[in-house]
Amino acid sequence: MNNHTLLLLPQEVIREILLRLPVKSLLRFKCVSKSWLSLISDPQFAISHYDLAATPTHRILMRSNDFYAQSIDTNAPFIDRGKGTLCLLRVVHLLLPPPSPPRIPDFFHFDDFRNQPHILGSCRGFILLYYERGDDLILWNPSIGVHKQLPHFQYDNITREFLYGFGYDPSKDDYLITIIPFSSSFSAENETHVFSFKTASWNSVLVNVPYSDPGNYLTFRAGSLFNETLHWLVLSKEKKVLVILAFDLVQKSFSEISLLDHLNTKKCQVCGLRVIGGCLGVCYSDEGSASTEIWVMKEYKVQSSWTKSIVVPTCDFSPICITKDGGIFGSDMRSLEKYNDKGELLQHRAYGVQEELFYCLNLQCAWYRESLLSLPTVIRNTSEDDHQQLIRKIRAANLTRIYS
């Protein structure tokens, strides 16, 4: 198509054509003309593109080191580099957004694990990062390379002392962060804290959440987002079994989802809660077994709809996503693997050094959809007084649980 042909096409037709193209192509096409640059950069175009894209592109983002992340095309094959070494054909190395400098300089611990970002969740193409050393929360769109540090976030040990999650409320066009103080002891009442990007403010709700940390399930503190609802695996005080705790981001309400009965026997080790192929799913291994079973809930919140999806011939396998060809990507915390729908190993990548150990539990990797969406606009900054008041409430709640 030459420039003369482009001039003959109505602007509405050009727009409809561009809306069906992948993000990677649209970023290149910004260079075609000033009018295309203006059109593709329009926030309303980005929203329409997200809603109308014919074939959305999904990628896996995984931590590589302190400074870089790897973005992987889930539908690209592995290639053999010889000597049994496999690499991914379409891996993009992305520079991570920088955290703020530490409040107290510490030149002797530059390789401290706290310099590495935790991936708290992904939603509509955005990745939420948490840097423990500076207590920084950063919202990042890796597809277009923009990020924003959220104001006045100074929480200690988010990934160890809270249930947490990141999601979207379509009724208010608002992105939300949810954190719930959590421990191994049951509490009659707890405060759920929800941060709104639209108002840049926290709302705290005192609710009865009779659940506790199961102890050896620390990897389930990250919420899995499905149906505008965050989900966590918790121990029910009343039933004394594992259940899924669900927090509806639209209604701001809790509910409980039952697992398969046999998953709560002592012989079962649940090793993952994820969204798998458009369904809520769990994976587990029987005691002494060398395989992992993956079950999905075909009908949301209907216990009888739990269905065995695939059996993977390795223990401690945690799925990440389903690929277009019906395969499943996941990790056993030592390697990145892809299986077909029969549980047969198709591709495998082992990591040989400690710094490259790959793990997808606790959302330390994220499956995200490429998007052109702009970072949500924050109306006002959270005041320091408001923030300190919230911190005091959280610390007081933690002390109450410790000494009660």
Side-chain angles (χ1 to χ4, degrees):
M1 183 181 292
N2 55 40
N3 290 335
H4 180 69
T5 306
L6 287 174
L7 292 174
L8 295 178
L9 290 175
Q11 188 71 10
E12 294 78 10
V13 174
I14 294 176
R15 184 178 188 275
E16 289 302 314
I17 293 173
L18 293 178
L19 284 174
R20 270 68 182 177
L21 298 180
V23 169
K24 185 177 180 180
S25 298
L26 291 173
L27 293 177
R28 292 202 310 267
F29 292 163
K30 283 185 173 184
C31 301
V32 170
S33 66
K34 289 184 178 179
S35 62
W36 280 35
L37 172 62
S38 176
L39 174 62
I40 297 171
S41 302
D42 182 1
Q44 189 56 53
F45 177 87
I47 294 172
S48 298
H49 178 265
Y50 188 89
D51 294 336
L52 300 175
T55 54
T57 302
H58 290 87
R59 302 181 71 90
I60 296 172
L61 184 86
M62 52 179 283
R63 231 172 40 187
S64 180
N65 56 34
D66 292 0
F67 305 105
Y68 290 93
Q70 296 182 28
S71 179
I72 302 166
D73 185 343
T74 59
N75 295 298
F78 288 76
I79 56 175
D80 193 343
R81 300 177 63 182
K83 298 181 181 180
T85 303
L86 293 170
C87 70
L88 290 163
L89 182 61
R90 298 178 186 173
V91 176
V92 179
H93 295 269
L94 302 173
L95 185 64
L96 288 164
S100 60
R103 297 181 183 85
I104 302 175
D106 188 353
F107 302 105
F108 300 101
H109 296 87
F110 60 89
D111 59 346
D112 193 303
F113 72 93
R114 292 175 297 170
N115 290 324
Q116 301 175 349
H118 294 274
I119 299 175
L120 300 192
S122 64
C123 176
R124 292 169 60 84
F126 295 112
I127 307 291
L128 185 64
L129 301 175
Y130 169 61
Y131 288 87
E132 185 176 339
R133 176 173 289 279
D135 293 316
D136 294 325
L137 279 172
I138 296 177
L139 191 63
W140 179 36
N141 184 336
S143 301
I144 58 177
V146 296
H147 69 275
K148 177 183 292 184
Q149 183 172 323
L150 278 65
H152 303 308
F153 276 53
Q154 301 175 11
Y155 298 109
D156 296 327
N157 302 324
I158 284 182
T159 57
R160 294 193 290 273
E161 296 183 5
F162 299 90
L163 296 180
Y164 57 86
F166 172 53
Y168 177 71
D169 178 358
S171 68
K172 297 181 180 178
D173 187 27
D174 193 10
Y175 294 87
L176 305 170
I177 301 173
T178 302
I179 60 173
I180 307 170
F182 211 57
S183 69
S184 58
S185 60
F186 294 103
S187 177
E189 291 185 327
N190 234 331
E191 277 194 329
T192 298
H193 308 286
V194 180
F195 179 80
S196 162
F197 281 81
K198 200 163 190 177
T199 63
S201 63
W202 284 97
N203 289 310
S204 299
V205 182
L206 191 64
V207 292
N208 183 18
V209 184
Y211 305 98
S212 75
D213 187 342
N216 59 334
Y217 290 91
L218 293 174
T219 51
F220 301 140
R221 289 185 176 272
S224 294
L225 180 64
F226 180 64
N227 280 354
E228 288 82 48
T229 303
L230 291 167
H231 303 83
W232 299 272
L233 277 172
V234 295
L235 182 65
S236 169
K237 178 180 181 181
E238 178 183 351
K239 300 178 181 178
K240 300 295 190 295
V241 296
L242 282 176
V243 297
I244 298 174
L245 176 64
F247 180 65
D248 189 315
L249 295 172
V250 177
Q251 302 297 327
K252 307 298 186 295
S253 61
F254 285 96
S255 60
E256 182 183 297
I257 301 174
S258 298
L259 294 174
L260 289 159
D261 291 335
H262 72 270
L263 289 184
N264 282 297
T265 64
K266 293 183 179 180
K267 294 183 178 181
C268 287
Q269 174 71 39
V270 179
C271 52
L273 169 67
R274 304 288 281 192
V275 178
I276 306 170
C279 298
L280 203 59
V282 295
C283 50
Y284 78 95
S285 297
D286 285 323
E287 184 180 352
S289 173
S291 63
T292 300
E293 292 189 10
I294 299 173
W295 290 67
V296 296
M297 181 173 268
K298 292 289 188 180
E299 189 175 347
Y300 187 57
K301 291 190 175 181
V302 177
Q303 185 184 22
S304 61
S305 70
W306 282 107
T307 305
K308 185 188 294 187
S309 173
I310 186 175
V311 178
V312 176
T314 181
C315 60
D316 298 324
F317 179 83
S318 183
I320 303 173
C321 65
I322 301 292
T323 59
K324 290 180 180 178
D325 59 6
I328 185 167
F329 256 113
S331 171
D332 61 359
M333 295 185 285
R334 295 176 294 274
S335 60
L336 180 64
E337 299 170 331
K338 181 180 178 181
Y339 293 86
N340 62 17
D341 57 0
K342 297 179 181 178
E344 299 169 336
L345 182 64
L346 299 178
Q347 296 162 341
H348 169 86
R349 179 180 178 178
Y351 285 75
V353 295
Q354 183 67 27
E355 288 77 10
E356 288 186 322
L357 281 176
F358 173 76
Y359 56 105
C360 61
L361 294 176
N362 214 27
L363 288 185
Q364 288 311 304
C365 81
W367 188 54
Y368 72 99
R369 173 178 164 180
E370 288 187 336
S371 84
L372 296 168
L373 294 174
S374 303
L375 294 169
T377 302
V378 176
I379 294 177
R380 66 174 180 85
N381 288 335
T382 307
S383 72
E384 187 70 22
D385 290 342
D386 289 346
H387 179 73
Q388 292 300 328
Q389 184 178 1
L390 180 60
I391 293 297
R392 286 194 293 270
K393 285 184 178 180
I394 293 174
R395 288 176 176 169
N398 288 339
L399 288 174
T400 300
R401 284 197 305 275
I402 292 172
Y403 294 107
S404 59

